[in-house]
Amino acid sequence: MALSNVVDSIVSLLEQVQGIGKVLDYSRYAASERERLDTYVSGGVLHCWIVTRESTAAHDLGAGDKNVRDRHTITIEGYRAVASAADSERLHQEMAEAVRSALHNNRKLPSDAGWLSTPVQVQQFNSVMFFRTVLCWHAKLTVTAEEVMQGG
């Protein structure tokens, strides 16, 4: 699946960012507090980034399914507990910029998964309640990724 390759490639790039916390491909259901901690907490505090597809625009290049170019809007959402440090907002702002930089410097995705056809946009930076239990800083970044077309 080409979308999975795009998401996996972005996750791989983000995992290389120093201090990133946990990086997940897609959101995870956590039935208990223990599962939430194991899934989303890094270094004793909520600190994670989730990569997923928000939407896909398909562009017709001719007859047949091999002549469709998909442009995926990929959402990268980062969460950091407000209580993690006195300067937690600054730290999360800096991490959002580190994520943007990592992707800007790797517009051609690893493993020939495709490429990023737009720069990374910061759609939101705010505070939210994560699972209605933890006040955290939230960054919503988006980028458009295009798949490598298979010959047709």
Side-chain angles (χ1 to χ4, degrees):
M1 302 213 64
L3 173 64
S4 292
N5 293 340
V6 168
V7 170
D8 290 346
S9 292
I10 292 172
V11 167
S12 289
L13 289 170
L14 297 186
E15 287 175 334
Q16 296 172 36
V17 174
Q18 186 173 4
I20 189 80
K22 294 220 177 155
V23 181
L24 304 168
D25 58 344
Y26 310 105
S27 295
R28 304 285 198 280
Y29 171 72
S32 68
E33 181 64 20
R34 170 58 31 211
E35 284 183 69
R36 273 194 294 279
L37 293 172
D38 291 344
T39 304
Y40 297 106
V41 169
S42 175
V45 296
L46 172 68
H47 185 203
C48 64
W49 291 81
I50 302 167
V51 180
T52 190
R53 169 183 46 189
E54 183 172 293
S55 64
T56 298
H59 299 274
D60 192 0
L61 303 175
D65 65 341
K66 293 186 188 259
N67 292 314
V68 174
R69 176 166 306 244
D70 286 335
R71 291 187 174 115
H72 303 292
T73 300
I74 302 296
T75 299
I76 304 159
E77 293 193 81
Y79 301 89
R80 178 192 294 266
V82 168
S84 63
D87 58 350
S88 58
E89 180 185 5
R90 180 185 60 78
L91 293 171
H92 201 55
Q93 291 277 11
E94 289 173 356
M95 186 57 61
E97 290 306 304
V99 166
R100 292 181 71 230
S101 180
L103 296 175
H104 289 166
N105 291 325
N106 293 281
R107 298 283 292 267
K108 183 178 182 306
L109 294 172
S111 304
D112 292 325
W115 66 95
L116 304 178
S117 58
T118 64
V120 181
Q121 309 295 314
V122 178
Q123 298 293 329
Q124 293 178 334
F125 194 97
N126 56 358
S127 59
V128 298
M129 292 299 289
F130 189 80
F131 278 106
R132 297 184 192 184
T133 59
V134 178
L135 181 62
C136 62
W137 298 111
H138 168 254
K140 179 182 178 183
L141 313 178
T142 59
V143 66
T144 302
E146 297 190 37
E147 302 172 9
V148 171
M149 291 185 60
Q150 305 304 318

